[in-house]
């Protein structure tokens, strides 16, 4: 999207923000660095715009490894009362906003939806959805510029965290020269790249590594799709482990999947694709979402039933995409 478009849609968002007294910022359940980075950065930006009544909420709170981010202690996990405006960041649909979004929606507030998932459902009154950006924090960087906000060190640190985590530290295919220019601007504003990488992409718990070991016992590679599945899951470390990010590095694979059975008859599915392949549409068909290279969904059913169904969809999509 061009700068002119950012100014138009950013202007509409700025008008809603200017009129609002009570603002709620929501990011997605099971939050990652972009979800928390976006929520905290937007909190700092809103305060610079003169907003004094801003609540930051996420059902699952701030993961320990992101607690170093400035402002993280202000995040709440439930909300009460009414809001004039809810700004939802890094969520492809309302369900991703979890219980805090559902609770706030009862009062019918205006909703601004700021996101970069290709599968976004445009659920807001104002939708700032940019699938060509690497992270929601990239959109916030551009919006802050359109709003005339000068980035301070804390805001820059939160914005850079989203860029680092969603690009696996600039290893994804969408890490362009333009993105690296934003990185430079953020570092000049005071963001500390080394502290972010050492606390996020270069770090996981010992338990998460042991969990990898257990999951990898089920590894399977068929028709260019590599996968693992488990019913003896460890939810405390599952998000931290992100074993699928390791699987997609297999030279022989174009797509990767992990299947983790929950205690309530569902399977959490994480999907990855090499450049030139797309797993977002598979996740979307299963009521999930994501990006062409990384997507996910939660599907009702038993482990083997869901895994077999999704793997069949992936193999068909891979064949079609290889021919396209
Ligand atoms: P993950 O595999 O959990 O790292 O997620 C990869 C991408 O898919 C992220 O961009 C998530 O936002 C998205 N995603 C994961 N699970 C879901 C879901 N249940 N619904 C919508 N999007 C999802
Ligand atoms: Mn996210
Ligand atoms: Mn994101």
């Amino acid at each position: 999207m061009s700068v002119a478009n950012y100014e138009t849609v950013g202007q509409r968002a700025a008008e809603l923000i200017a009129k609002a007294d009570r603002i709620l910022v929501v990011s997605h359940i099971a939050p990652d660095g972009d979800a928390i980075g976006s929520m905290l950065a937007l909190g700092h930006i809103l305060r610079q715009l003169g907003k004094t009544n801003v609540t930051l909420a996420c059902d699952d709170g701030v993961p320990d490894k992101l607690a170093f981010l400035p402002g993280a202690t202000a995040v709440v996990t439930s909300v009460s009362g009414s809001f004039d405006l809810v700004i939802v960041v890094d969520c492809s649909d309302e369900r991703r906003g979890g219980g805090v979004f559902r609770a706030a929606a009862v009062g019918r507030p205006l909703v601004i939806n700021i996101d970069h998932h290709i599968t976004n459902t445009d659920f807001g009154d104002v939708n700032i959805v940019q699938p060509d950006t690497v992270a929601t924090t990239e959109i916030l960087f551009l919006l802050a510029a359109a709003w005339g906000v000068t980035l301070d060190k804390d805001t820059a640190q939160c914005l850079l965290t989203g860029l680092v985590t969603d690009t696996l530290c600039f290893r994804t295919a969408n890490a362009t020269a333009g993105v690296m220019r934003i990185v430079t601007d953020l570092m000049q504003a005071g963001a500390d790249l080394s502290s972010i990488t050492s606390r996020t992409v270069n770090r996981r718990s010992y338990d998460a590594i042991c969990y990898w070991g257990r999951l990898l016992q089920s590894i399977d590679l068929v028709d260019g799709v590599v996968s693992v599945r488990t019913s003896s899951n460890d939810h405390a470390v599952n998000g931290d482990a992100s074993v699928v990010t390791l699987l997609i590095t297999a030279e022989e694979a174009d797509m990767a999947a992990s299947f983790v059975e929950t205690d309530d008859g569902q399977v959490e599915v994480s999907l990855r694709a090499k450049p030139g392949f797309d797993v977002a549409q598979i996740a979307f068909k299963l009521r999930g979402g994501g990006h062409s290279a990384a997507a996910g969904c939660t599907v009702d059913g038993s482990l083997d039933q869901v895994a077999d169904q999704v793997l069949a969809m992936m193999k068909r999509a891979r064949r079609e995409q290889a021919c396209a």
Side-chain angles (χ1 to χ4, degrees):
M1 180 181 251
S2 68
V3 172
N5 282 344
Y6 265 103
E7 279 168 4
T8 312
V9 78
Q11 184 61 39
R12 289 185 55 211
E15 283 161 17
L16 295 190
I17 290 167
K19 282 191 211 140
D21 284 328
R22 282 198 83 199
I23 301 179
L24 175 68
V25 181
V26 172
S27 68
H28 63 77
I29 51 176
D32 51 27
D34 191 28
I36 300 295
S38 293
M39 182 167 62
L40 298 180
L42 186 54
H44 295 307
I45 291 168
L46 289 171
R47 277 186 290 277
Q48 284 198 57
L49 291 171
K51 297 286 137 180
T52 50
N53 196 340
V54 177
T55 304
L56 310 179
C58 173
D59 273 17
D60 296 317
V62 177
D64 288 348
K65 68 197 289 185
L66 295 168
F68 74 98
L69 285 174
T73 52
V75 174
V76 297
T77 55
S78 63
V79 294
S80 58
S82 63
F83 298 91
D84 311 315
L85 178 65
V86 178
I87 309 180
V88 185
V89 292
D90 204 38
C91 294
S92 53
D93 59 48
E94 290 115 310
R95 277 175 290 129
R96 297 285 286 164
V100 286
F101 181 76
R102 278 198 301 281
V106 171
R108 302 208 157 267
L110 289 165
V111 173
I112 301 177
N113 160 26
I114 305 178
D115 184 40
H116 68 128
H117 293 93
I118 186 110
T119 56
N120 191 285
T121 56
D122 282 345
F123 59 87
D125 297 292
V126 172
N127 299 292
I128 307 179
V129 178
Q130 294 297 314
D132 59 349
T133 53
V134 297
T136 299
T137 62
E138 181 182 352
I139 304 174
L140 291 173
F141 174 89
L142 298 165
L143 280 174
W147 292 339
V149 171
T150 307
L151 297 179
D152 61 21
K153 185 179 169 182
D154 287 353
T155 315
Q157 183 81 341
C158 297
L159 292 174
L160 185 55
T161 297
L163 297 182
V164 167
T165 56
D166 265 21
T167 61
L168 306 172
C169 204
F170 313 108
R171 288 190 289 139
T172 53
N174 54 3
T176 58
V179 173
M180 302 317 288
R181 271 192 290 275
I182 294 176
V183 173
T184 308
D185 284 357
L186 292 173
M187 290 177 78
Q188 273 166 351
D192 181 352
L193 178 60
S194 152
S195 83
I196 295 168
T197 54
S198 66
R199 288 165 188 268
T200 59
V201 288
N202 286 353
R203 182 186 200 130
R204 58 176 51 84
S205 66
Y206 175 76
D207 284 349
I209 296 169
C210 295
Y211 181 65
W212 272 8
R214 293 197 296 279
L215 266 175
L216 288 173
Q217 287 168 22
S218 68
I219 192 166
D220 190 30
L221 172 70
V222 181
D223 294 347
V225 180
V226 63
S227 64
V228 292
R229 57 181 80 181
T230 184
S231 54
S232 64
N233 61 69
D234 183 346
H235 286 288
V237 297
N238 186 39
D240 194 24
S242 190
V243 70
V244 72
T245 308
L246 171 69
L247 298 185
I248 194 59
T249 61
E251 271 179 34
E252 296 81 355
D254 296 320
M255 293 182 179
S258 68
F259 302 97
V260 177
E261 193 166 42
T262 68
D263 300 331
D264 49 5
Q266 294 187 309
V267 179
E268 288 172 5
V269 182
S270 277
L271 306 175
R272 296 291 184 271
K274 290 257 173 63
F277 293 88
D278 175 6
V279 285
Q281 296 315 318
I282 298 170
F284 192 60
K285 279 183 199 150
L286 297 166
R287 297 184 76 228
H291 315 279
S292 57
C297 51
T298 303
V299 183
D300 291 335
S302 72
L303 179 64
D304 287 334
Q305 183 194 343
V306 171
D308 293 345
Q309 177 202 354
V310 176
L311 287 172
M313 291 170 78
M314 293 174 80
K315 287 171 193 167
R316 197 176 324 121
R318 175 181 169 267
R319 273 197 307 277
E320 287 167 8
Q321 291 169 17
C323 297

